[in-house]
Amino acid sequence: AERKKRMEPAEPDKALENELWSLFYDYQYDLNIGGESPFKYGRDDEMESKNIDVIARSKDLVVFAEASTQKEIGSKIKTWIKQSKLIKKHLNDFPTNYNFVFYTNQTVTEGTQEAIRKAGFILLTPERVENFKELKKNHPDLAHYDLITFICKEKKIKEFVNGNGIEIPAIRA
């Protein structure tokens, strides 16, 4: 008799990471496969590496994302901001739009939200992910640009070419 392998439930952090991964998959982003991916940065003589939960890349945007269900989320976010700032200083000549995203299902204090805003990064919640998934189903073209403007909030968005070959000028989100 053939036995069916029972799927073990994913750990909470991994399940949350999978939700975020599936959002970018739905938007047809290229994704890191298999969880945390080492991202190398720095000068050739001083290369460093940071494991990043989700790296999502389209022709218009690259997202570096961390996901966590940790109850005391403030310290995790502050550590992530510090590490991400080290990476960010090496991305000055990055050829496309990019940003850092922290995804959590935990309540984030106003002070920590302000620290995220000051760093120029984005806090993403499961509710917002569901909104983007729903928008993608109903208005796919609008959803693509809405996601970019949300992720690049308060940043100058570099020019890109849409699927019809029309160049869209840089805007501030």
Side-chain angles (χ1 to χ4, degrees):
E2 194 175 296
R3 293 173 67 183
K4 288 186 178 179
K5 184 177 178 184
R6 187 172 163 205
M7 295 293 290
E8 294 293 322
E11 295 176 25
D13 274 358
K14 187 57 74 178
L16 196 71
E17 187 179 311
N18 289 343
E19 288 174 18
L20 185 57
W21 195 91
S22 73
L23 169 70
F24 291 108
Y25 179 84
D26 290 348
Y27 277 72
Q28 300 179 341
Y29 278 61
D30 294 327
L31 295 153
N32 59 312
I33 306 294
E36 288 188 346
S37 290
F39 181 77
K40 293 182 181 182
Y41 62 94
R43 296 190 318 248
D44 288 338
D45 58 336
E46 296 177 3
M47 282 300 247
E48 295 187 47
S49 180
K50 160 91 173 97
N51 282 338
I52 298 177
D53 289 343
V54 176
I55 300 174
R57 180 186 300 258
S58 76
K59 64 181 177 21
D60 300 320
L61 178 65
V62 176
V63 178
F64 302 96
E66 182 76 21
S68 180
T69 60
Q70 185 175 310
K71 294 285 183 208
E72 297 298 321
I73 202 71
S75 62
K76 173 93 175 179
I77 291 173
K78 287 175 183 162
T79 299
W80 171 79
I81 288 172
K82 184 178 178 183
Q83 293 170 337
S84 298
K85 281 183 173 180
L86 293 174
I87 296 170
K88 189 177 179 180
K89 32 182 229 194
H90 295 284
L91 298 177
N92 289 335
D93 297 326
F94 207 63
T96 190
N97 302 296
Y98 71 89
N99 207 355
F100 295 84
V101 172
F102 195 90
Y103 182 52
T104 187
N105 59 0
Q106 301 299 314
T107 302
V108 178
T109 66
E110 280 297 319
T112 302
Q113 287 181 38
E114 182 60 25
I116 292 169
R117 278 190 291 275
K118 280 184 179 177
F121 300 160
I122 298 298
L123 176 64
L124 193 58
T125 62
E127 296 79 20
R128 179 65 81 167
V129 166
E130 284 308 310
N131 289 344
F132 280 120
K133 285 184 170 196
E134 194 63 31
L135 185 60
K136 177 70 174 166
K137 286 180 198 169
N138 297 319
H139 306 285
D141 289 337
L142 172 63
H144 172 77
Y145 297 110
D146 195 46
L147 181 64
I148 292 171
T149 57
F150 178 78
I151 301 254
C152 294
K153 192 181 304 183
E154 298 182 22
K155 292 182 164 221
K156 182 177 179 185
I157 297 175
K158 296 178 182 181
E159 294 182 353
F160 52 89
V161 177
N162 74 11
N164 299 322
I166 300 170
E167 189 173 294
I168 299 170
I171 59 170
R172 183 169 292 281

